[in-house]
Amino acid sequence: MQTYFQALKQNGYSGEAHDREDIRLINATDNSIYQFMPQAVLYPKTTQDLDIIFQTANQDEFRNLKFAPRGGGTGTNGQSLNNVITVDTSKHLNKILEIDFEKGIARVQPGVVLSVLNRHLAKKDFFFPAHVSTANRATLGGMVSTDACGKGSIIYGKTGNHVLKINGVLANGQAIEVHPDSECPFGGAIKVALKTNREMIVEKTPDLPRHFTGYNLKGAYVPEQDHLNLPLLIAGSEGSLLTIKELTLNILPRPKHKALFAVSYDDFIGALEIVPDILAFKPGAVETIDNHVLRLAKTDNIWHQVTRILPDGINSEDVKAMHCIEFIADTADDLASRVEAFSAWLKQQKKPFYLTHDDDEIAAVWEMRNLCVGLLGNMDGPKRPWPFVEDGAVPPENLAGFVKDVREFLATLNIDLGLFGHADAGCLHIRPILDLRNQRDAGLIRKITDGMVEIVARHHGNFWGEHGRGLRGEFITDIMGPEFYGVMQEIKALFDPDNRLNPGKMATAKGTDLPLYKIDQIPLRGYYDRQIDEDLVETYPKAIQCNGNGVCFSAMPDDTMCPSYKATRDRRHSPKGRAGLLREWMRRQSHNEGDTIADDVLQALHGCLGCKACTSTCPIHVNIPDMRADFYQTYYQSNRRPWRDYAVAEAEKLAEVATKYPRTMHLLMNNPISGFAARKIFGLTDLPRPSVPGLSTLMKHNGIKYADLANYQPQEKSVLIVQDAFTSAYNADAVIDVMRLLQKFGFEPAVIPLRETGKSRHVKGFLKAFKNLARQNTEHFQLWAKTGVPMVGIDPSLTLVYRDEYPKALNKSPGFQVHLPQEFLSDYLFSSDNPDLQVQGNDNPAPVDLFLHCTEKTALPTSAKMWQTVFQICGVKMRMAQTGCCGMAGTYGHEVEHLNNSRKLFDLSWKKPNEKSVCSAATGFSCREQTARFGVNNTRHPASVLLSLIDKT
């Protein structure tokens, strides 16, 4: 392989080329049940690189090399998996080249993510009409390759219906341009094949809203005009015909008005039986979810945004199915009349429903639907709903009978299932619930698949309704017949006569003897996971449970998930990548195969910011920071720790000294010699400056005292402030301002002496020391809790340690609660027990922009609403800044090797909102440090901002 890499470089290739094991491993899985190791991975940087890849491979010495394309890696059937060379266009070829709103076109590179394109199109109220649930990480090249579709397909069709032109490269290195009127070098031969076999092709292709065969033989030829539409043939070919270099797409204006119904049912089959009646009202989409999804949605952050979808008086446990039904219209009157008619029908049918016209609420419901794949993967126990027969499609009027037969069939095997999907198109995603680490369950894959093929045929449907064929190509002759497959072979031979593009899948070129893959010949993820010792599974359970749904590959800059992936576009630096590497490390540990991959795992985990977005934003709740701490503890039992780890572990202790001797520590920490030593010895830079005067001095000036547990006498409105080392040492003004704000409301704050939380020790995997601290602090704060006085912390990251890391370390609840300021003010101040407010309102016209800490956003999703309540009571307008991570995340932003990524993340998401803000507030100490470091704005704690505005009155 290195010889080929050298030839690539000599021929002008500018991209990346890897045959490293860790990079191959993270490309060996997608969102399917398979694990298929590629030979190598290429990340081309330019479209010329794609030409060079195949032109070089066309040299005699490399003609045995084969290739498979990869985009977002969200395929559920192994579309991008193969044991050949992976060509991944998502990392670098992700530029929007042109948008012409007047002509209604967008020209993009194949690695552009759908949500990124739609974000740009939204500026003029346009969108790309193929809507998929994986929109924030699905690439347009991948969507074309699988002819993807989703919500709204009954109106807008599939991706292929909106492809105007494809610029690609053939396996022989020849550039090719494909558009509806193009003939291409062998267009005549394609037309002859499609025209000659037209009658058979039409007969074998059911007239369904969702139908997928791989090559759209029916749609690619229009007999009335004797016309060949080659883009429709390429769409769905899964990279087996050509490799996409550039796409020209059709874009549409967004519907101006919309409404959403959430209709609840006590019987799933009954819900499906009335789908044809619902379609008579011509909705834009009818999406269905089952009780499994609803139950699991309650454990996700999304639930607090959609709780109202259950009508009053309806117990969620009694809801067995829900239809989410959207109506769209260009005029308000048209929408109103349709909504009124449908509402009247639902009332007549006595179906409980919730109706909303609110854009944010509609978006939240669709987000819950988009999370179905991940939510189902978060079931308790070893069994999970897995995709491998999930996209069968039948006529909507047959849907109820189809699902009933599937349930009865799986019941004979004692298998439950998860259900969700597109009821309007007759395509429900059926996921048998199996433990693929169990050999018996894994052995049922073939039996279940054969049974599903038969049931789909019985209901006049198609086995591949939406999610492509991938590694299920063996069923093509059984389903479509040998004549149909023979035409596919002719098409394959014209484009790729030597089977070099995604070989073994889709079709084998006519005249060659390469067999198609069989589903029980491909290694499953469960096969490898079965080899991991149970004690390691118990230590790293979420690494095993990660199902590859890829939410962590979100390309949207304002999504909380996952900053290290956004900064690097390197899949090793994502929760999925890290979980995959940990799985392989665990497998080798279990079989004493050595630590050959341990350093790769270390490197991947070292790039994690510890923002904890994955602990809740990921529907599986893959907790990389916790797994990182466990791995560090194990790894450094046999490897030498860097000096910096010890320095970081003592960071809270050092900050505690800074609170006592701020001037001395300020001089020691901020001079050229200490700065040079910090950088060279510990690899740290831009360290924070201790507050001068220190907290104790400021407390005296404000008449606030430390609380002595032995002599503490609580008053009626006493509040105890639980310090954190970093805010107290380096941002003492914020601590004072929180207490002054409490005083404004009549509370009497006192400060508990500072105690180390252990957060910095946990981050670096000093778990024994952390557990000792957790035990000691728990005993200490339990004594304070007995006073009955509420305790309030300042910094979200350190305050939330008590309710997140402590219970895990102690295997029990710590028995005390430390509130964040907004929690306390909303839970206590505005309760019926505290009706009289002592704060005068402020009529400030400019809204305050609130920036939340990542950990706070994910662990406390109602935080923004709580702060909004506090601001409103104070008469101050507030708006939530929509941002991702600021890029600091504790010590990450101070580590020399992470400086560039830290700055990149700040520029990506925080810079512009801060520059535009007239007044900004950030809850996290590290976030305020980051904005101060880059000099964008004077961002203060929300309490400080509120005080400054209130004091003006």
Side-chain angles (χ1 to χ4, degrees), residues 424-446:
D424 51 4
C427 181
L428 285 187
H429 300 310
I430 294 169
R431 297 197 166 197
I433 299 175
L434 303 167
D435 177 9
L436 294 185
R437 292 185 71 233
N438 180 295
Q439 205 157 1
R440 179 260 179 193
D441 280 13
L444 291 172
I445 297 294
R446 165 66 68 181

Side-chain angles (χ1 to χ4, degrees), residues 131 151 258 260 262 289 293-294 297 300-309 322 324 326 354 356-372 375 865:
H131 180 98
K151 179 177 76 74
K258 56 188 174 182
L260 181 76
I289 54 180
V293 172
L294 283 170
D300 192 84
N301 279 352
I302 194 66
W303 188 251
H304 79 276
Q305 300 178 51
V306 298
T307 52
R308 292 197 297 170
I309 64 173
M322 179 176 285
C324 299
E326 187 175 71
Y354 176 74
T356 180
H357 291 79
D358 182 79
D359 286 345
D360 290 338
E361 197 163 35
I362 291 172
V365 172
W366 288 133
E367 178 62 18
M368 181 183 72
R369 160 60 186 89
N370 292 345
L371 289 172
C372 282
L375 289 171
K865 288 185 178 179

Side-chain angles (χ1 to χ4, degrees), residues 89-260:
T89 58
S90 68
K91 188 172 184 179
H92 301 297
L93 290 175
N94 49 30
K95 297 175 182 60
I96 298 173
L97 304 173
E98 177 189 8
I99 297 176
D100 190 324
F101 291 104
E102 290 186 7
K103 293 181 179 178
I105 65 168
R107 194 162 57 87
V108 301
Q109 292 181 327
V112 171
V113 167
L114 175 59
S115 288
V116 173
L117 174 63
N118 278 333
R119 188 184 190 195
H120 288 270
L121 297 180
K123 297 172 184 176
K124 294 291 183 72
D125 282 334
F126 273 70
F127 76 117
F128 182 68
H131 180 98
V132 296
S133 63
T134 54
N136 66 356
R137 64 263 195 204
T139 65
L140 287 156
M143 289 176 62
V144 171
S145 294
T146 56
D147 203 8
C149 59
K151 179 177 76 74
S153 66
I154 56 173
I155 296 176
Y156 298 113
K158 298 188 284 187
T159 298
N161 299 114
H162 302 280
V163 177
L164 302 177
K165 186 166 69 173
I166 300 172
N167 291 91
V169 57
L170 299 175
N172 63 9
Q174 178 183 352
I176 184 171
E177 183 178 289
V178 175
H179 54 81
D181 298 316
S182 66
E183 289 291 335
C184 84
F186 31 79
I190 295 172
K191 184 184 289 187
V192 168
L194 299 184
K195 190 174 182 179
T196 303
N197 294 280
R198 179 68 181 175
E199 185 176 342
M200 179 273 297
I201 291 170
V202 171
E203 180 187 347
K204 293 291 185 180
T205 309
D207 188 15
L208 295 170
R210 295 288 173 87
H211 189 272
F212 183 92
T213 60
Y215 302 163
N216 190 345
L217 303 186
K218 180 181 177 181
Y221 176 67
V222 184
E224 293 79 9
Q225 290 89 35
D226 191 28
H227 180 252
L228 188 65
N229 187 340
L230 277 178
L232 280 178
L233 185 68
I234 303 301
S237 61
E238 298 181 5
S240 66
L241 299 180
L242 56 76
T243 297
I244 298 171
K245 297 196 299 182
E246 185 182 303
L247 293 165
T248 303
L249 305 170
N250 173 53
I251 58 176
L252 297 176
R254 284 187 178 278
K256 293 182 173 61
H257 304 277
K258 56 188 174 182
L260 181 76

Side-chain angles (χ1 to χ4, degrees), residues 558-573:
D558 298 339
D559 282 356
T560 307
M561 177 82 92
C562 159
S564 55
Y565 173 70
K566 286 190 183 72
T568 62
R569 297 297 289 234
D570 185 335
R571 297 193 191 278
R572 289 174 298 173
H573 293 289

Side-chain angles (χ1 to χ4, degrees), residues 880-953:
M880 176 67 186
Q882 298 301 318
T883 58
C885 180
C886 74
M888 176 60 83
T891 60
Y892 179 92
H894 294 297
E895 294 170 352
V896 172
E897 68 273 24
H898 292 143
L899 278 178
N900 289 338
N901 284 342
S902 179
R903 181 63 189 251
K904 187 185 295 185
L905 287 167
F906 182 82
D907 290 347
L908 182 68
S909 183
W910 276 57
K911 183 179 180 181
K912 286 185 179 179
N914 268 275
E915 287 176 337
K916 292 178 181 178
S917 178
V918 175
C919 182
S920 61
T923 56
F925 164 73
S926 60
C927 305
R928 297 191 296 275
E929 281 291 297
Q930 183 81 321
T931 54
R933 172 162 70 158
F934 294 131
V936 174
N937 206 336
N938 182 24
T939 302
R940 296 170 294 164
H941 190 278
S944 304
V945 173
L946 273 174
L947 275 175
S948 67
L949 295 174
I950 292 170
D951 287 345
K952 289 180 181 179
T953 59

